[in-house]
Amino acid sequence: MVSFTSLLLVCTATASVWAAPSKAKEKPELAARQSLTLTTSQTGTNNGFYYSFWTDGGAAVVCTLGPGGQFSVTWSGNASYWICGKGWSPGSAGAITYSGSYNPNGNSDLSVYGWTTNPLVEYRIVENFGTYNPSSGATKRGSLVSDGSTYDIYRSTSIQGTTPFLQYWSVRRSKRTGGTVTTANHFNAWAAFGMQLGTFSYQIVAVEGYGGSGSASINI
Protein backbone atom coordinates (compact mmCIF):
# COMPACT_ATOMS: atom_id res chain seq x y z
CA MET A 1 0.00 0.00 0.00
CA VAL A 2 1.32 3.41 -0.94
CA SER A 3 1.77 5.82 1.97
CA PHE A 4 0.98 9.46 1.33
CA THR A 5 2.87 10.76 4.34
CA SER A 6 4.85 13.84 3.29
CA LEU A 7 8.51 13.09 2.81
CA LEU A 8 9.20 16.51 4.32
CA LEU A 9 8.66 14.85 7.71
CA VAL A 10 11.80 12.76 7.21
CA CYS A 11 14.80 14.34 8.91
CA THR A 12 18.42 13.27 9.03
CA ALA A 13 19.72 11.42 12.07
CA THR A 14 22.86 9.62 13.21
CA ALA A 15 21.85 6.36 14.92
CA SER A 16 23.21 2.95 13.87
CA VAL A 17 20.68 0.54 12.38
CA TRP A 18 22.21 -2.78 13.23
CA ALA A 19 23.08 -2.53 16.92
CA ALA A 20 20.98 -4.87 19.04
CA PRO A 21 19.42 -3.17 22.04
CA SER A 22 21.12 -3.61 25.38
CA LYS A 23 17.98 -2.47 27.19
CA ALA A 24 14.53 -1.12 26.53
CA LYS A 25 14.17 2.50 25.50
CA GLU A 26 14.46 4.77 28.51
CA LYS A 27 11.59 7.15 29.14
CA PRO A 28 12.80 10.76 29.38
CA GLU A 29 12.26 12.98 32.40
CA LEU A 30 8.90 14.64 32.08
CA ALA A 31 9.29 18.30 32.94
CA ALA A 32 5.92 19.27 31.49
CA ARG A 33 2.66 17.36 31.19
CA GLN A 34 0.52 19.64 29.10
CA SER A 35 -1.92 18.18 26.58
CA LEU A 36 -2.00 19.28 22.95
CA THR A 37 -4.87 18.71 20.53
CA LEU A 38 -4.00 18.50 16.83
CA THR A 39 -6.28 18.73 13.81
CA THR A 40 -3.73 19.87 11.20
CA SER A 41 -0.40 18.33 10.18
CA GLN A 42 2.57 19.09 12.39
CA THR A 43 5.56 17.58 14.19
CA GLY A 44 7.41 18.53 17.34
CA THR A 45 8.16 17.55 20.92
CA ASN A 46 5.55 17.05 23.62
CA ASN A 47 6.27 16.05 27.23
CA GLY A 48 9.70 14.74 26.32
CA PHE A 49 8.66 12.69 23.27
CA TYR A 50 8.78 13.40 19.57
CA TYR A 51 5.38 13.45 17.87
CA SER A 52 4.18 13.40 14.30
CA PHE A 53 0.69 14.03 12.97
CA TRP A 54 -0.13 14.14 9.27
CA THR A 55 -3.51 14.32 7.56
CA ASP A 56 -4.60 14.97 4.00
CA GLY A 57 -7.55 16.88 5.44
CA GLY A 58 -10.26 14.59 4.13
CA ALA A 59 -11.32 12.98 7.41
CA ALA A 60 -12.53 14.26 10.77
CA VAL A 61 -9.52 13.21 12.83
CA VAL A 62 -8.34 14.58 16.18
CA CYS A 63 -4.98 13.60 17.65
CA THR A 64 -4.54 14.47 21.33
CA LEU A 65 -1.09 14.37 22.93
CA GLY A 66 -1.29 13.55 26.62
CA PRO A 67 1.18 13.23 29.50
CA GLY A 68 4.46 11.44 28.91
CA GLY A 69 4.26 9.04 25.99
CA GLN A 70 0.47 8.95 25.86
CA PHE A 71 -1.61 9.97 22.87
CA SER A 72 -5.15 9.34 21.68
CA VAL A 73 -6.92 9.69 18.38
CA THR A 74 -10.51 9.63 17.16
CA TRP A 75 -11.51 9.57 13.52
CA SER A 76 -14.40 9.32 11.07
CA GLY A 77 -14.95 10.27 7.47
CA ASN A 78 -14.28 9.22 3.91
CA ALA A 79 -11.34 7.33 2.41
CA SER A 80 -8.60 9.78 3.33
CA TYR A 81 -5.22 9.19 4.96
CA TRP A 82 -3.82 10.29 8.34
CA ILE A 83 -1.25 9.12 10.88
CA CYS A 84 -0.68 10.11 14.52
CA GLY A 85 1.93 8.93 17.01
CA LYS A 86 4.63 9.55 19.59
CA GLY A 87 8.19 8.29 19.82
CA TRP A 88 11.73 9.41 19.25
CA SER A 89 13.88 11.36 16.81
CA PRO A 90 16.12 9.79 15.83
CA GLY A 91 14.88 6.23 16.20
CA SER A 92 16.98 3.23 17.13
CA ALA A 93 17.02 -0.56 17.33
CA GLY A 94 15.88 -0.50 20.95
CA ALA A 95 12.98 -2.47 22.43
CA ILE A 96 9.69 -0.54 22.57
CA THR A 97 7.03 -1.30 25.18
CA TYR A 98 3.54 0.09 24.71
CA SER A 99 0.00 -0.37 26.03
CA GLY A 100 -3.47 0.98 25.45
CA SER A 101 -6.69 0.46 23.51
CA TYR A 102 -7.32 0.33 19.77
CA ASN A 103 -10.84 0.19 18.28
CA PRO A 104 -10.91 0.57 14.49
CA ASN A 105 -13.98 0.28 12.29
CA GLY A 106 -12.55 0.01 8.80
CA ASN A 107 -9.06 0.43 7.38
CA SER A 108 -6.51 1.29 10.05
CA ASP A 109 -3.39 -0.09 11.69
CA LEU A 110 -1.31 0.20 14.85
CA SER A 111 2.42 -0.09 14.30
CA VAL A 112 5.96 0.92 15.10
CA TYR A 113 6.48 3.34 12.22
CA GLY A 114 9.57 5.13 11.01
CA TRP A 115 11.91 6.25 8.26
CA THR A 116 15.58 5.90 7.42
CA THR A 117 17.68 7.82 4.93
CA ASN A 118 20.41 6.52 2.59
CA PRO A 119 18.53 4.42 1.60
CA LEU A 120 15.18 6.16 1.97
CA VAL A 121 12.92 3.61 3.66
CA GLU A 122 9.47 3.83 5.22
CA TYR A 123 8.94 0.92 7.63
CA ARG A 124 6.22 -0.55 9.81
CA ILE A 125 6.11 -3.28 12.42
CA VAL A 126 2.36 -3.83 12.41
CA GLU A 127 0.91 -5.01 15.72
CA ASN A 128 -2.79 -4.71 14.92
CA PHE A 129 -5.04 -3.63 12.06
CA GLY A 130 -8.68 -3.31 11.09
CA THR A 131 -10.34 -4.65 7.95
CA TYR A 132 -7.36 -4.18 5.62
CA ASN A 133 -3.85 -5.59 5.88
CA PRO A 134 -1.59 -2.59 5.09
CA SER A 135 0.98 -4.83 3.38
CA SER A 136 -1.55 -5.94 0.73
CA GLY A 137 0.00 -5.73 -2.71
CA ALA A 138 3.57 -5.96 -1.40
CA THR A 139 5.94 -8.87 -2.03
CA LYS A 140 6.30 -11.37 0.79
CA ARG A 141 9.94 -12.09 1.57
CA GLY A 142 9.67 -14.43 4.55
CA SER A 143 8.77 -14.44 8.23
CA LEU A 144 10.25 -14.36 11.71
CA VAL A 145 9.18 -15.32 15.21
CA SER A 146 9.52 -12.54 17.77
CA ASP A 147 7.80 -11.40 20.96
CA GLY A 148 5.36 -14.30 21.07
CA SER A 149 4.14 -14.38 17.47
CA THR A 150 5.07 -14.95 13.85
CA TYR A 151 5.45 -11.82 11.75
CA ASP A 152 5.22 -11.95 7.95
CA ILE A 153 7.78 -9.78 6.15
CA TYR A 154 6.97 -7.77 3.02
CA ARG A 155 8.77 -5.35 0.74
CA SER A 156 7.54 -2.83 -1.81
CA THR A 157 8.59 0.35 -3.58
CA SER A 158 6.68 3.61 -3.90
CA ILE A 159 7.14 7.16 -5.08
CA GLN A 160 6.17 10.58 -3.69
CA GLY A 161 6.28 13.15 -6.45
CA THR A 162 9.57 12.30 -8.16
CA THR A 163 11.19 10.73 -5.08
CA PRO A 164 11.26 6.91 -5.00
CA PHE A 165 11.49 5.10 -1.68
CA LEU A 166 11.32 1.58 -0.25
CA GLN A 167 8.63 0.22 2.06
CA TYR A 168 9.20 -2.60 4.57
CA TRP A 169 6.61 -4.36 6.74
CA SER A 170 6.54 -6.94 9.48
CA VAL A 171 2.90 -7.89 10.11
CA ARG A 172 2.02 -9.75 13.31
CA ARG A 173 -0.27 -12.73 12.80
CA SER A 174 -1.71 -12.72 16.33
CA LYS A 175 -2.93 -9.16 16.68
CA ARG A 176 -2.38 -7.35 19.95
CA THR A 177 -2.60 -3.91 21.53
CA GLY A 178 0.19 -3.90 24.05
CA GLY A 179 3.53 -5.56 24.72
CA THR A 180 7.18 -5.21 23.81
CA VAL A 181 8.43 -4.94 20.23
CA THR A 182 12.06 -6.03 19.88
CA THR A 183 12.79 -3.91 16.83
CA ALA A 184 16.32 -5.29 16.37
CA ASN A 185 14.85 -8.72 15.59
CA HIS A 186 12.89 -7.21 12.70
CA PHE A 187 15.73 -5.06 11.42
CA ASN A 188 18.11 -8.02 11.43
CA ALA A 189 15.56 -10.27 9.71
CA TRP A 190 14.95 -7.63 7.07
CA ALA A 191 18.69 -7.37 6.44
CA ALA A 192 18.89 -11.15 6.04
CA PHE A 193 16.30 -10.85 3.25
CA GLY A 194 18.29 -8.09 1.55
CA MET A 195 16.12 -5.30 2.96
CA GLN A 196 18.71 -2.82 4.19
CA LEU A 197 17.96 0.17 6.37
CA GLY A 198 19.93 3.40 6.49
CA THR A 199 20.40 6.18 9.03
CA PHE A 200 17.49 6.51 11.40
CA SER A 201 15.11 9.43 11.11
CA TYR A 202 12.12 9.58 13.45
CA GLN A 203 10.44 6.48 14.92
CA ILE A 204 6.98 6.47 16.52
CA VAL A 205 4.31 4.13 17.79
CA ALA A 206 1.54 5.19 15.46
CA VAL A 207 -2.10 4.76 14.62
CA GLU A 208 -3.03 5.46 11.01
CA GLY A 209 -6.23 5.26 9.02
CA TYR A 210 -7.57 5.25 5.48
CA GLY A 211 -11.28 5.90 6.04
CA GLY A 212 -13.82 4.39 8.38
CA SER A 213 -13.99 5.42 12.00
CA GLY A 214 -12.62 4.51 15.38
CA SER A 215 -10.66 5.51 18.44
CA ALA A 216 -7.38 4.61 20.11
CA SER A 217 -5.41 5.53 23.21
CA ILE A 218 -1.76 4.46 23.34
CA ASN A 219 1.01 4.91 25.90
CA ILE A 220 4.72 4.28 25.35
Side-chain angles (χ1 to χ4, degrees):
M1 184 199 72
V2 176
S3 168
F4 299 102
T5 307
S6 171
L7 295 182
L8 294 177
L9 298 180
V10 182
C11 59
T12 57
T14 57
S16 170
V17 171
W18 316 123
S22 59
K23 58 182 178 180
K25 287 179 178 288
E26 295 180 353
K27 295 187 177 182
E29 293 298 322
L30 305 177
R33 293 181 175 273
Q34 71 274 15
S35 295
L36 182 63
T37 299
L38 309 176
T39 57
T40 58
S41 302
Q42 60 180 282
T43 63
T45 301
N46 174 260
N47 294 328
F49 288 85
Y50 177 83
Y51 71 85
S52 178
F53 175 59
W54 192 91
T55 174
D56 64 11
V61 55
V62 178
C63 176
T64 302
L65 308 177
Q70 192 274 337
F71 71 94
S72 62
V73 59
T74 59
W75 69 95
S76 63
N78 57 16
S80 59
Y81 177 73
W82 55 268
I83 183 168
C84 169
K86 269 187 174 182
W88 304 267
S89 182
S92 74
I96 296 174
T97 298
Y98 74 100
S99 61
S101 61
Y102 172 65
N103 305 290
N105 180 21
N107 296 345
S108 173
D109 67 72
L110 167 66
S111 68
V112 175
Y113 174 90
W115 288 83
T116 73
T117 58
N118 299 315
L120 186 61
V121 178
E122 179 189 46
Y123 66 84
R124 291 173 178 85
I125 302 172
V126 179
E127 294 283 283
N128 205 338
F129 60 89
T131 58
Y132 178 81
N133 185 326
S135 66
S136 298
T139 301
K140 186 174 180 180
R141 301 302 298 270
S143 62
L144 85 149
V145 176
S146 182
D147 301 314
S149 180
T150 298
Y151 290 77
D152 295 310
I153 296 172
Y154 299 85
R155 179 188 184 278
S156 184
T157 57
S158 189
I159 189 166
Q160 176 79 2
T162 59
T163 304
F165 60 95
L166 300 167
Q167 294 177 303
Y168 301 162
W169 290 268
S170 287
V171 181
R172 187 179 176 96
R173 293 183 186 175
S174 57
K175 298 178 183 179
R176 65 175 180 174
T177 307
T180 296
V181 180
T182 308
T183 64
N185 291 347
H186 297 270
F187 300 159
N188 290 333
W190 295 348
F193 290 114
M195 299 162 56
Q196 303 295 331
L197 293 171
T199 300
F200 281 109
S201 181
Y202 70 92
Q203 179 186 71
I204 58 178
V205 176
V207 178
E208 58 186 329
Y210 328 95
S213 61
S215 65
S217 177
I218 303 296
N219 190 61
I220 58 174

